[in-house]
Amino acid sequence: MTTQFGKGCHLHLIDGSAFIFRAYHALPPLTRKSDGLPIGAVSGFCNMLQRYISDDHGPDAPTHVAVIFDKGSHTFRNDLYGLYKANREAMPEDLRPQMPLTREATRAFNIACQEIEGFEADDIIATLACQARDLGGRVTIISSDKDLMQLVGGGVEMLDAMKNRRIDVEGVEEKFGVGPDRVVDVQALAGDSVDNVPGAPGIGIKTAALLINEYGDLETLLDRAEEIKQPKRRQTLIEHRAQIELSKRLVQLDCNTPLDFGLDDLEVRDPDPETLLSFLSEMEFRTLSTRIAKALAVEAPVIPDVAPAASEDSAADWPAIAPEAYERVSDMAALQVWIDRILARGYVAIDTETTSLNEMQAELVGISLAVEPGQACYIPLGHREGASDDLFGSDALAEGQLPRDAVLSALRPVLEDAAVLKIGQNMKYDAKIFAGLGLTIAPIDDTMLMSYALNSGIHNHGMDALSERYLAHNPIPIKTLLGTGKSAVTFDKVPIDEAVKYAAEDADITLRLWHMFKPQLHQKQVTTVYETLERPLVPVLARMERHGILVDRDVLSRMSNAFAQKMGGLEAEIHELAGRSFNVGSPKQLGEILFDEMALEGGKKGKTGAYATGADVLEDLATEHELPARVLDWRQLSKLKSTYTDALQDHIDPNTGRVHTSYVQTGASTGRLASTDPNLQNIPVRSEEGRRIREAFVADAGKRLVSLDYSQIELRILAHVAGIDALKQAFRDGLDIHAMTASEMFGVPLDEMTSDVRRRAKAINFGVIYGISGFGLARNLRIPRAEAQGFIDRYFERFPGIRAYMDETVEFAKAHGYVQTLFGRRIHTPEIAAKGPRAGFAKRAAINAPIQGTAADIIRRAMIRMPEAIADLPCKMLLQVHDELLFEAEEDAVDAVITAAREVMEGAADPAVHLDVPLTVDAGSGMNWAEAH
DNA sequence: GACATCACG
DNA sequence: GACGTACGTGATGTCC
């Protein structure tokens, strides 16, 4: 029986996407037990549908109903405005496979399910609502999306299913300050950060409503913009007219979407028990199918409690790791067999063997591949005749190897195929090796980064450690092939038979680890962290490292000489003062001189029984005696010379003339990067003499170094996470945050602030980030402990939210064994349950980790987005120093680079996290790093 | 290879 | 009540 849609009919339109995202975010990432398919969103979606149909809608009960979905990402709005919805985060990987299942679910409930390629659900909803209204029927749109509010009125209402609240014309007026017919005008002015609709800068909903109410509608307002009294508003409207008109076209819903169905197709139908229950069984939703069976008065299906399907994914069925079973690939036909296996499977574990850990100088020696546990091979390419009696070494290639270029040509389609996942352990290394050979390897997965996302703070993430821990297998140590110390050889000298076992084993282990880690990412809810903060950073870091930074050897060399001369003078002076000669660089000898021979006060022995002679100790002694003061000077120079001016020269690459650091993505438990070989994250800056070392870091001819750094990012994050209104407001107002803290704490007005009071407040602000203690603050400020404790007490009194945040964070760590950043990164705190002094360490680390980690996440997001943002500019990103990014840019592009990079950095938290405080970035440029910073 | 020291955020 | 203590890193030199 069909009823013609008309008066007396009531159409319900459900915004399907809203249901899905609500379900996805409300539920933990459930997986189907039998095969691990993610189904959390489907489960939530079905529960919401079930609740919807079982609800007694009373007089609002529908005669017609449909669930409307989005289909495709490109719509007419993208043609109007390329940046429309451009700030959307990519769909989480575990949600994507659930999208078709939500359509299936809708059909299983026997509810009409509609989507049209190239049209947003909102336009389909608008079209149907208009049709139904024009035929005299009623419409309820089940959604709380404000973009749909323009449709309300004339029999159309909205229903916020979560709050069970109906939204009528008054509701819309409450929200927008205007009636539904003027909602688009307000939206056009106010813009929308969620959909990236620009609007008029500086005008929000309140102001927009005010203007529209005054002038009647948007067109009149724009035509009469000259009459507006407020100069800034007037100018904005006149200047951005085109942008405002574009915004209106973006927010205006289209009531004329071409539909291939009619309202009559949407009539409410009872679900067919068999169809619905068989779908729910397939999904293995036990509770829900029992509930629905009861409601439908039929017998609930029995869903067998199957064990996870036996497959190669199940570690129990894997063959033991057996290096002698791996294949050596010696002819192109055999290689082709492996390539075919990889293409058929869609993924491969891969590892490269080279002559050096330094990727810039490494030569490719061989490649290993694994496609399933136990099935791995090694392709030797660059092994040399290992004539150990040949004093000069032999350059001849060993027999039985394929030509390197032929192998790379054959592998290129695999390495660059978007449909083949390349799995590696520390893929940045392999990606850099391949990049040196003109190959771009993508897409990738990295077991080291998976381990880091899963278990940061619990253990390290090197392959040997992971293999031992998760596979109970100790891989062949590289030492057994290369030897150690002076007699160590490079991998090209390793006999091929030995290399096959070692190299293929690495690929095999990597593949096994991948099979274990992949499902764990979902289970531990760190898939997004891995996919948005870890994996996409790999190619970014690889490019930065390969590019390197230009360092002027002559500048360093001159400084080294000057330091050596000064040190010689100081050393003579020190020996004179000591009355005898000794090794100034030996803390042990210095301690004996100071505290035994000279019998100075304050000698304290540490754990090992040696006197402490750190800078703080020497500084105290320096007020009394000359010797410790001279030693401090000597030490500063010694540090600068050995660690910087000497060592950096050895790191200049002979081929590029540049210094290529290596970032360790898994180096710091908090999410920060570490920089090694050389460490370019601790180049001196605090002392005047040290800072001059930065003059050796220079821009190439015609270029400039450009530095951008976040201002007070950790304090801003603290203000946000702890919810400290006074701090948040101070940041919004652009105040001097330390002076403001001092003013709040000590009651000193800002204009009477002394530098000493400010200095104390600054120390407290930093102390808070580190998990403050009276002892620590006292030592830092060199004041009595009781006084320091008094400061802290006053601070907590004034900002009680900080104390609450600290307590909550420690409690969270105790309850879960980890803390997390605003972006979901987990940092484990296994020591939190410890007793004694270790508990103090763990507490402070737990308090600091979410703050430091969130800052680290933010700059990572900026770095990941940076290549696209600067793609059209003549510049390269070179270095990251925790809150600073350093670029090298063509001289005339400096301003454009600063503008583009600043925008990315300041907006890096969006849209995943909306901070209550603005992020601000300071910028500078110059011929060298000292000038730019 | 452990330890002390000191460079950075 | 005593314990010990600011958070996160890497490189260098001494000494065993």
Side-chain angles (χ1 to χ4, degrees), chain A residues 550-674:
Chain A
L550 191 61
V551 172
D552 188 330
R553 183 188 298 277
D554 294 343
V555 172
L556 292 178
S557 169
R558 276 197 292 271
M559 292 178 88
S560 279
N561 291 336
F563 290 151
Q565 203 149 41
K566 275 198 189 174
M567 282 168 71
L570 282 168
E571 199 171 323
E573 240 183 288
I574 290 164
H575 290 165
E576 177 79 34
L577 286 161
R580 71 176 173 92
S581 126
F582 69 103
N583 184 348
V584 184
S586 164
K588 185 165 169 275
Q589 294 179 30
L590 176 66
E592 285 159 10
I593 297 270
L594 288 170
F595 301 114
D596 290 340
E597 298 183 17
M598 297 172 65
L600 297 181
E601 299 286 310
K604 273 202 195 123
K605 292 189 177 178
K607 289 167 231 170
T608 53
Y611 288 113
T613 67
D616 49 347
V617 176
L618 296 189
E619 271 164 38
D620 285 343
L621 296 175
T623 55
E624 310 278 331
H625 297 273
E626 190 120 342
L627 190 145
R630 295 287 86 81
V631 172
L632 281 169
D633 294 341
W634 184 92
R635 277 197 182 160
Q636 192 200 1
L637 297 175
S638 163
K639 181 81 178 183
L640 295 178
K641 182 172 185 293
S642 69
T643 310
Y644 300 104
T645 57
D646 285 353
L648 275 172
Q649 296 187 56
D650 301 334
H651 282 284
I652 297 174
D653 186 286
N655 299 314
T656 64
R658 301 171 76 97
V659 171
H660 305 266
T661 184
S662 185
Y663 289 102
V664 191
Q665 215 176 316
T666 57
S669 62
T670 53
R672 272 195 180 179
L673 302 177

Side-chain angles (χ1 to χ4, degrees), chain A residues 70 73 75 77-78 81-89 120-122 145 147 192-198 250 911:
Chain A
D70 295 300
S73 56
T75 70
R77 292 188 178 84
N78 299 106
Y81 183 53
L83 295 175
Y84 180 68
K85 294 200 175 178
N87 56 350
R88 287 278 168 99
E89 298 272 323
E120 290 187 56
D122 287 0
D145 187 345
D147 296 339
D192 183 358
S193 59
V194 179
D195 291 342
N196 209 28
V197 172
L250 291 174

Side-chain angles (χ1 to χ4, degrees), chain A residues 93-313:
Chain A
E93 197 170 273
D94 59 329
L95 179 55
R96 194 166 294 131
Q98 302 189 67
M99 296 311 257
L101 294 174
T102 57
R103 275 67 165 175
E104 264 187 60
T106 309
R107 289 186 210 103
F109 276 91
N110 209 7
I111 299 175
C113 164
Q114 298 295 350
E115 55 192 321
I116 300 174
E117 178 70 43
F119 289 91
E120 290 187 56
D122 287 0
D123 294 309
I124 304 174
I125 290 173
T127 304
L128 289 168
C130 291
Q131 288 179 3
R133 182 195 60 202
D134 294 347
L135 289 167
R138 283 182 64 196
V139 180
T140 299
I141 300 166
I142 292 123
S143 172
S144 53
D145 187 345
K146 59 184 180 348
D147 296 339
L148 290 165
M149 291 190 178
Q150 58 185 275
L151 301 170
V152 169
V156 180
E157 289 187 356
M158 290 175 65
L159 174 67
D160 183 339
M162 286 299 123
K163 297 178 186 147
N164 199 21
R165 199 168 56 94
R166 295 192 78 83
I167 302 163
D168 53 12
V169 173
E170 274 121 61
V172 175
E173 280 168 356
E174 199 179 301
K175 168 96 191 167
F176 279 102
V178 294
D181 52 333
R182 294 274 79 92
V183 161
V184 284
D185 291 351
V186 169
Q187 283 185 294
L189 286 169
D192 183 358
S193 59
V194 179
D195 291 342
N196 209 28
V197 172
I203 292 187
I205 287 185
K206 290 262 166 64
T207 314
L210 207 75
L211 289 167
I212 293 298
N213 283 325
E214 191 176 340
Y215 289 86
D217 59 47
L218 183 66
E219 289 65 35
T220 315
L221 169 69
L222 291 177
D223 288 342
R224 293 170 51 194
E226 300 283 354
E227 301 168 23
I228 296 170
K229 294 176 199 78
Q230 298 88 338
K232 204 161 176 199
R233 235 176 246 179
R234 180 173 63 230
Q235 196 191 348
T236 302
L237 289 184
I238 294 169
E239 247 175 49
H240 296 93
R241 177 168 189 146
Q243 185 174 314
I244 295 164
E245 287 170 339
L246 168 70
S247 298
K248 180 162 177 173
R249 285 156 71 202
L250 291 174
V251 298
Q252 178 90 56
L253 296 181
D254 179 7
C255 281
N256 295 304
T257 307
L259 304 178
D260 53 4
F261 59 94
L263 288 170
D264 297 335
D265 298 320
L266 309 181
E267 202 174 359
V268 169
R269 301 171 297 230
D270 285 331
D272 169 48
E274 200 180 317
T275 310
L276 179 53
L277 290 171
S278 88
F279 173 78
L280 297 173
S281 301
E282 201 187 310
M283 293 291 109
E284 300 168 18
F285 296 155
R286 286 185 182 74
T287 317
L288 187 60
S289 49
T290 310
R291 193 187 310 146
I292 287 181
K294 206 171 155 196
L296 295 173
V298 296
E299 202 178 319
V302 177
I303 300 171
D305 189 2
V306 286
S311 72
E312 84 233 345
D313 296 18

Side-chain angles (χ1 to χ4, degrees), chain A residues 17 20 73 89 262 412 522 758 818 898:
Chain A
S17 302
I20 294 171
S73 56
E89 298 272 323
R412 178 185 291 270
H522 286 313
R758 183 181 180 279
Y818 63 85
I898 290 175

Side-chain angles (χ1 to χ4, degrees), chain A residues 241-410:
Chain A
R241 177 168 189 146
Q243 185 174 314
I244 295 164
E245 287 170 339
L246 168 70
S247 298
K248 180 162 177 173
R249 285 156 71 202
L250 291 174
V251 298
Q252 178 90 56
L253 296 181
D254 179 7
C255 281
N256 295 304
T257 307
L259 304 178
D260 53 4
F261 59 94
L263 288 170
D264 297 335
D265 298 320
L266 309 181
E267 202 174 359
V268 169
R269 301 171 297 230
D270 285 331
D272 169 48
E274 200 180 317
T275 310
L276 179 53
L277 290 171
S278 88
F279 173 78
L280 297 173
S281 301
E282 201 187 310
M283 293 291 109
E284 300 168 18
F285 296 155
R286 286 185 182 74
T287 317
L288 187 60
S289 49
T290 310
R291 193 187 310 146
I292 287 181
K294 206 171 155 196
L296 295 173
V298 296
E299 202 178 319
V302 177
I303 300 171
D305 189 2
V306 286
S311 72
E312 84 233 345
D313 296 18
S314 169
D317 299 335
W318 289 343
I321 294 171
E324 56 285 354
Y326 298 129
E327 180 182 331
R328 166 179 172 175
V329 174
S330 303
D331 60 73
M332 291 305 284
L335 177 61
Q336 194 56 49
V337 171
W338 279 94
I339 290 173
D340 292 341
R341 293 177 74 181
I342 293 165
L343 292 174
R345 202 166 268 272
Y347 59 80
V348 59
I350 186 164
D351 189 28
T352 53
E353 304 302 336
T354 69
T355 53
S356 168
L357 283 176
N358 178 341
E359 305 93 330
M360 296 304 294
Q361 277 147 37
E363 295 281 343
L364 183 64
V365 178
I367 298 171
S368 53
L369 307 167
V371 290
E372 60 183 80
Q375 301 281 314
C377 71
Y378 179 65
I379 312 159
L381 299 171
H383 288 261
R384 309 275 162 186
E385 290 294 354
S388 55
D389 52 347
D390 182 352
L391 278 175
F392 301 99
S394 169
D395 274 323
L397 281 172
E399 300 270 307
Q401 299 184 89
L402 290 168
R404 190 190 77 180
D405 291 344
V407 169
L408 290 177
S409 298

